[in-house]
Amino acid sequence: MGNSDSTGEIVIGAIDIGGTKIAVGMVDDNGNVLSRLESPTDAAGGYANGLARMIEMLHRTSRDAGVEISGIGIGSTGVVYPGSGAFGDVDLLPGWQGNNPVQDLAQEFKVTVALENDADASALGEAGWGAGKLKSRLIYVTVGTGIGGGIILDGHLYRGVDMAHPEISHHVIDPSGPDCSCGYRGCWESLATGPAMAAWFNANAAEDRRPPENLSAAQICQLAKSGDELARQAVDREAHYLGLGLANLINLFVPEVIVLGGSMMKSAPLFLDGIRKVIRQGCRFVPYEKTELALASLGDDANLIGAARVWHHRFRRGIGPPS
Ligand SMILES: [Zn+2]
């Protein structure tokens, strides 16, 4: 366990690997970010280049914070293999498949290293230090340009066979809905993301004989707040589809809490009543009223904090939420 046999506080080198940027920082025992740096992912520049920048940013952020790295946690856009530590065939990281940052960083820093899918990392962060603290059955859902999620059952991250990350965004809500990247039609992700909401609004705005103007989901939420009728319909529709997906999760898992994050949840007050209405409609055989809907609380560094929590979850026993 690296330096954890010293009496000092454990500080984790956290790495958040996304399609556009890689963030690196030092995260202390309470989930506080002590220092951080980021760099464009530059996936096309190759894995070796990406790894070199991660190593450099780990050295620099540990120097900036004046700390020793006790371990390293990574949350990455997927598909990744937490068991081996290798990248799978990641859409946003072409050419990185088969490379293993867990082995490479362990060799460089002589500490233990753990890797998870970034949504699982965020779920662990919220469960350990955020809105899901002390809850043992938690589902984290992030809604933005896509939908992602992580499931924590009895204090442990749920993984499928081969430690696979379940894809909660690809459950079908409407089989006659829009095509989805996965091969189905009408997946939750094809109906309830920000771009899905914007696509519906912009298509109907044309029929409404409005001037052509492609509004973003955030702009549509703003319009809805000012009372625009079509924008309000778009918001109602979004709440309906968000609600259907969340109701399915409640019927399947009956978690104590669903933690909602992602850019769309910056407008959560617009959606929550509609979401609760859908849940009330169809979750009557489970105690749905006991499932709390909470907003993610770790803020802009949630992914980094989650990445640190990946290490804690893997290597530090007895600190998880009660089961
Ligand atoms: Zn799909």
Side-chain angles (χ1 to χ4, degrees):
M1 297 232 311
N3 302 324
S4 64
D5 53 349
S6 72
T7 49
E9 184 179 69
I10 287 179
V11 175
I12 300 305
I15 306 177
D16 169 35
I17 304 173
T20 55
K21 69 172 164 63
I22 296 174
V24 169
M26 296 295 125
V27 180
D28 75 9
D29 246 357
N30 297 313
N32 299 309
V33 178
L34 306 176
S35 57
R36 79 189 297 290
L37 281 170
E38 63 182 60
S39 142
T41 302
D42 185 23
Y47 168 76
N49 178 281
L51 176 69
R53 278 179 290 126
M54 288 182 232
I55 290 171
E56 197 210 322
M57 287 192 285
L58 282 166
H59 284 305
R60 282 180 54 195
T61 50
S62 79
R63 269 203 309 274
D64 290 348
V67 295
E68 296 280 322
I69 296 174
S70 315
I72 296 171
I74 310 169
S76 174
T77 175
V79 178
V80 296
Y81 298 108
S84 68
F87 290 110
D89 184 6
V90 187
D91 271 3
L92 301 174
L93 304 173
W96 290 33
Q97 183 170 8
N99 287 292
N100 194 311
V102 167
Q103 284 175 9
D104 293 338
L105 292 169
Q107 196 174 12
E108 173 75 20
F109 289 90
K110 313 292 183 221
V111 296
T112 49
V113 184
L115 162 79
E116 298 286 355
N117 168 284
D118 51 4
D120 285 338
S122 295
L124 287 168
E126 290 291 343
W129 291 312
K133 205 172 172 182
L134 304 178
K135 301 284 169 59
S136 67
R137 295 164 200 85
L138 169 152
I139 299 179
Y140 171 79
V141 176
T142 173
V143 186
T145 55
I147 294 180
I151 301 166
I152 288 171
L153 297 176
D154 298 332
H156 293 280
L157 182 63
Y158 173 79
R159 281 184 282 240
V161 64
D162 202 19
M163 296 178 88
H165 164 72
E167 287 292 335
I168 63 166
S169 63
H170 295 285
H171 73 275
V172 176
I173 299 272
D174 176 2
S176 62
D179 286 330
C180 183
S181 59
C182 71
Y184 285 132
R185 295 178 63 128
C187 289
W188 197 21
E189 177 155 287
S190 75
L191 288 163
T193 59
M197 174 178 162
W200 183 88
F201 177 89
N202 289 316
N204 285 277
E207 282 173 29
D208 220 21
R209 281 190 237 111
R210 297 185 187 209
E213 183 188 11
N214 272 325
L215 296 185
S216 68
Q219 289 169 316
I220 296 162
C221 288
Q222 242 357 84
L223 261 187
K225 280 187 213 159
S226 68
D228 180 275
E229 180 53 31
L230 187 64
R232 290 177 68 110
Q233 284 177 34
V235 162
D236 288 348
R237 187 176 179 276
E238 173 68 15
H240 177 74
Y241 285 128
L242 281 175
L244 281 177
L246 294 172
N248 286 341
L249 293 176
I250 292 173
N251 271 330
L252 288 167
F253 295 98
V254 209
E256 278 162 75
V257 59
I258 296 179
V259 179
L260 298 166
S263 58
M264 287 296 278
M265 286 304 132
K266 292 189 169 151
S267 303
L270 287 177
F271 305 123
L272 284 176
D273 285 348
I275 288 170
R276 290 201 179 93
K277 189 175 139 197
V278 175
I279 291 169
R280 275 198 305 276
Q281 261 172 352
C283 292
R284 72 189 58 163
F285 299 129
V286 297
Y288 67 85
E289 70 283 357
K290 292 185 178 159
T291 296
E292 180 192 348
L293 298 181
L295 296 179
S297 66
L298 296 179
D300 291 339
D301 282 327
N303 287 0
L304 211 50
I305 296 167
R309 196 71 193 184
V310 164
W311 183 90
H312 286 267
H313 183 257
R314 186 78 61 85
F315 294 113
R316 210 174 167 199
R317 304 290 174 208
I319 60 150
S323 53

